[in-house]
Amino acid sequence: MAEATVKGGIIDNVSQLSDAQKDPSALREQKLVDLEDPDANLSQEEREAIDRRLLWKLDLRLVPWLSLLYLISFLDRTNIGNAKIAGLTKDLGMTSNQYNATLTIFFVSYSVFEPFTNILLKRLRPSIFIPLIMVSWGICMTCMGLVKNYSGIMAVRWFLGLSEAGLFPGVGYLLSCWYKRSELGVRMAIFFSAAALAGSFGGLLAAAIAKMDGIGGKSDWSWIFILEGLATILVGIASFWCVYDFPDQAKFLSQADRARVLRRLALDQQSSAAHEDFKMDYFWTSVKDWKTYTGAIIYMGADGALYAFSLFVPTIISELVSDLEKICYSSIRAQLLSVPPYAAAAVLTVAIGFIADRTRQRGLCNIAVSIIGMAGFGMLLGCESAGGRYAGIFLGAMGIYPAIANTISWSSNNTEGVYKRGVSLGFIIGWGNLNGIVSSNIYRDADAPRFYPGHGVVLGYLVLFLFGGSILQYFLLRRENSKRRRGERDASIKGLDESQIELLGDKRPDFIYTL
C-alpha cells in the first residue's frame, strides 16, 4: 500500500488507504458533517484568522489561571523544605527520620487517590471539582501552621495529599480536551513551569516571612504555612468563577466558538472534548494499553527526581552556604540561593514545550533534557568544590522540570477517548507520585554535606527510567507507526461496526502516534 501523508496525527490521503482503514476515516468525516461549521462560507485566510483569535481567547482564559493554581499547589506541598531550615524540626522535636516520614505520608494519600480523580472531575465538572479541592488543601495548609507535635503534622500532611491529588492530572486532562495535539505541549510547559517558579517564589517568600518570627507568639515556619494556606483558600473561592468546563459546556464561548473548538479537535482526531458516558470498557482499555506502563516508567523517572530535588534543595544549599563562604549558618541566605536554579528550569521548560510542539519529537526532547539532568547530578556526586556542586543543582533542575510537562503531553497525544485518557493520565501520574515515597527518604541529615546516597538514587532514576524509558517508548511507537503505514494493522477493524471502531480510539489503524 502506498504511504499516505501524515498531518496532525492522522493519515490524510483517504484514497490511499485500504478498505478497512476507510471505515474509521468515513466515521470521522461523518462526525465533522454532524458538527455545525459556522465558517462554511469563508475563505481559508479568513478561517485561519478566526482560528488564531479563538486560540488566543482560549489561552487567556485557561492557561494563566490554571498555572497560578499549580504554582500554589506545588508551593504548598514543598514549602515544608523551607520550613525545615526555618526551625520546624527543632521546634516540634522531630528527628530526621520523622521529618522524612512527614514527606512520605503526603505521597501515600496523593498517589493512591490520583487515578480516580479524573473520573470525579469529568462527572462533577472542573468548575466545581477544582475549586472544592483547593479550598480543602488550603484549610490543611493553614492547619500545618498550628500543629504542636509530630503526630499533628503527620495527620495534616495525609489530608493535604488527599486534597491535592486531583489538580495536576485534572488540569493535564482538561487542557488536552481543549487543544490540538500539536498545541498541547507548550501549554503544559507553561502550566508546569509554575512548579519551577514555585521553587523560586517559595525561597523568596520564606526569606520574607522569616522577618515575622515571633509575631503572635508563632515561629516564622508557622507563618509560612498559615499565610500560604489562607492565600490558597482565597484563590480556591475565586476559582469557582475562573475555572472553566469542557468545550461543549464552556459558558465563556459563544455557540459558534464552541462549534469551532469541537471541529478543530475532531480534525485533529480527538473526541475527548465531547460528552461521553462512563463505561468500564474505557478503564480496561487503559489498563491493557502498553503505553500506560511505558508512560508510567518515564514519568516515574522524572517525578521521583523532581520531588527529591524540590523537597531537599533548601537543605542541600544550606550546606553549600557554609562551604562557599565559611560563615555562620544563615537560613535566609539558603532560601535566596535556591531561587536561580528554579528560574532557569522554568525558562527551559517553556522552551522545550515550544520545540516539542514544532518538531513533534517529544521523545527526543525527553532524552535530551534527561542527559542534562544526569550531568547535573553527576557533578553533585563528583565535584569537590561548592561552586561546582551549585552548578550541578542548576543542571539538575533544568534536566528534571521540562521532562514532566513533556511526558504528560506525550502521553496525552497518544491516548484517545474521554475516559481512557483520563484514566491513563491518572495511572501514569499516580505511579510517578508514588515514587515520592522513595524521594522523601533518600536525603538524610546523616549524609550531609555531600548527600551521596540521595544524589545517587536520583541519578539512577534519571538514567534507568527517564532516559531509558524514553528511548524504549520512542522506538516502540516508531515501530508501531511503520506497521500502521504499511497496513499491517488493517485487520483489527474488520467486521466491527462504527461504535466498536470508535471504542478503539488510538488503536485504530489510521491513528499515527506522536514520537
Side-chain angles (χ1 to χ4, degrees):
M1 182 182 74
E3 184 172 303
T5 59
V6 178
K7 183 178 181 181
I10 63 174
I11 300 176
D12 292 323
N13 192 343
V14 180
S15 64
Q16 293 180 349
L17 302 178
S18 66
D19 290 337
Q21 283 177 299
K22 288 180 182 178
D23 288 339
S25 298
L27 178 62
R28 189 164 55 253
E29 290 298 326
Q30 182 59 47
K31 281 190 170 185
L32 287 172
V33 171
D34 294 339
L35 289 172
E36 175 192 356
D37 185 1
D39 307 317
N41 298 322
L42 300 181
S43 67
Q44 184 63 26
E45 291 76 11
E46 291 172 320
R47 283 175 173 267
E48 291 175 356
I50 290 174
D51 192 63
R52 286 193 296 271
R53 288 196 296 270
L54 176 62
L55 192 59
W56 181 241
K57 180 188 290 186
L58 299 184
D59 288 341
L60 290 178
R61 291 280 188 163
L62 298 172
V63 178
W65 191 261
L66 293 176
S67 298
L68 172 65
L69 302 192
Y70 193 60
L71 185 152
I72 293 172
S73 166
F74 207 81
L75 186 64
D76 287 351
R77 82 183 62 165
T78 59
N79 58 11
I80 191 171
N82 300 106
K84 178 188 178 185
I85 64 173
L88 168 70
T89 54
K90 180 181 178 181
D91 288 354
L92 296 186
M94 293 165 55
T95 66
S96 176
N97 288 337
Q98 287 177 328
Y99 172 75
N100 288 347
T102 65
L103 305 182
T104 301
I105 198 167
F106 170 89
F107 292 105
V108 174
S109 56
Y110 187 74
S111 56
V112 166
F113 290 100
E114 242 174 351
F116 309 101
T117 55
N118 277 347
I119 296 174
L120 289 174
L121 177 134
K122 183 69 178 175
R123 290 192 166 185
L124 293 179
R125 305 200 332 260
S127 62
I128 300 297
F129 179 73
I130 290 176
L132 282 178
I133 64 173
M134 278 205 73
V135 172
S136 298
W137 93 62
I139 293 171
C140 293
M141 179 55 50
T142 305
C143 291
M144 281 183 63
L146 306 176
V147 298
K148 301 296 184 182
N149 52 43
Y150 167 67
S151 299
I153 198 167
M154 283 287 284
V156 176
R157 290 283 293 182
W158 164 269
F159 286 105
L160 181 66
L162 173 63
S163 302
E164 284 200 34
L167 185 72
F168 186 69
V171 172
Y173 172 49
L174 177 61
L175 289 177
S176 73
C177 294
W178 277 95
Y179 292 101
K180 292 161 63 175
R181 295 193 289 172
S182 60
E183 299 165 346
L184 178 62
V186 69
R187 275 82 187 176
M188 279 299 298
I190 293 171
F191 167 70
F192 188 74
S193 66
L197 291 175
S200 294
F201 184 65
L204 291 171
L205 188 61
I209 295 176
K211 304 295 184 181
M212 297 181 65
D213 188 32
I215 293 179
K218 297 192 176 299
S219 302
D220 48 352
W221 63 263
S222 294
W223 284 114
I224 290 175
F225 294 140
I226 293 171
L227 293 180
E228 293 178 13
L230 293 175
T232 300
I233 294 172
L234 293 177
V235 174
I237 294 172
S239 294
F240 282 103
W241 292 273
C242 298
V243 172
Y244 299 99
D245 294 320
F246 297 100
D248 60 336
Q249 304 165 323
K251 296 179 180 179
F252 75 93
L253 291 178
S254 65
Q255 183 176 348
D257 278 345
R258 279 197 293 270
R260 290 184 181 108
V261 172
L262 294 174
R263 281 185 64 84
R264 71 197 306 273
L265 293 176
L267 284 167
D268 192 49
Q269 207 178 17
Q270 293 194 56
S271 61
S272 296
H275 174 75
E276 189 175 274
D277 294 327
F278 178 73
K279 301 175 184 177
M280 282 304 295
D281 288 340
Y282 300 124
F283 175 85
W284 293 115
T285 301
S286 174
V287 170
K288 296 174 183 178
D289 190 347
W290 61 267
K291 301 192 305 300
T292 301
Y293 301 99
T294 55
I297 290 171
I298 297 167
Y299 194 75
M300 166 187 179
D303 219 32
L306 169 76
Y307 284 117
F309 185 88
S310 59
L311 288 168
F312 289 98
V313 156
T315 299
I316 296 168
I317 292 180
S318 70
E319 298 292 339
L320 292 181
V321 169
S322 57
D323 283 354
L324 282 167
E325 302 189 11
K326 304 298 182 184
I327 60 174
C328 295
Y329 171 77
S330 169
S331 64
I332 295 178
R333 188 178 298 273
Q335 308 278 23
L336 294 176
L337 281 173
S338 69
V339 173
Y342 287 115
V347 172
L348 187 61
T349 298
V350 176
I352 289 295
F354 274 109
I355 293 169
D357 275 356
R358 297 299 182 271
T359 63
R360 298 184 63 80
Q361 294 291 333
R362 302 200 186 281
L364 295 182
C365 287
N366 252 17
I367 292 167
V369 297
S370 67
I371 292 173
I372 296 174
M374 289 187 288
F377 278 88
M379 291 174 67
L380 283 168
L381 283 168
C383 287
E384 293 295 330
S385 69
R389 282 180 279 151
Y390 188 56
I393 290 175
F394 268 87
L395 294 180
M398 295 168 70
I400 293 171
Y401 281 85
I404 298 287
N406 191 55
T407 299
I408 295 304
S409 298
W410 198 12
S411 296
S412 296
N413 285 174
N414 293 325
T415 308
E416 181 50 32
V418 175
Y419 282 104
K420 181 186 177 183
R421 182 180 297 173
V423 171
S424 294
L425 288 180
F427 275 123
I428 290 169
I429 296 172
W431 174 250
N433 286 322
L434 191 61
N435 285 270
I437 295 174
V438 177
S439 303
S440 57
N441 287 284
I442 58 177
Y443 283 96
R444 304 171 301 176
D445 289 345
D447 300 323
R450 298 304 300 271
F451 298 105
Y452 286 123
H455 296 331
V457 172
V458 173
L459 182 59
Y461 265 78
L462 294 174
V463 173
L464 294 177
F465 306 126
L466 180 55
F467 180 73
S470 295
I471 290 176
L472 175 64
Q473 180 165 279
Y474 176 82
F475 283 105
L476 289 176
L477 291 173
R478 188 170 181 171
R479 185 179 67 173
E480 181 61 26
N481 282 348
S482 297
K483 290 182 177 181
R484 294 185 179 193
R485 290 190 179 100
R486 292 195 299 265
E488 295 180 19
R489 301 302 192 200
D490 294 357
S492 64
I493 59 171
K494 286 183 178 178
L496 300 182
D497 59 30
E498 289 183 353
S499 62
Q500 291 172 319
I501 294 172
E502 184 65 18
L503 183 60
L504 290 175
D506 54 82
K507 295 296 184 182
R508 295 197 312 268
D510 66 332
F511 189 102
I512 298 299
Y513 291 123
T514 297
L515 298 178

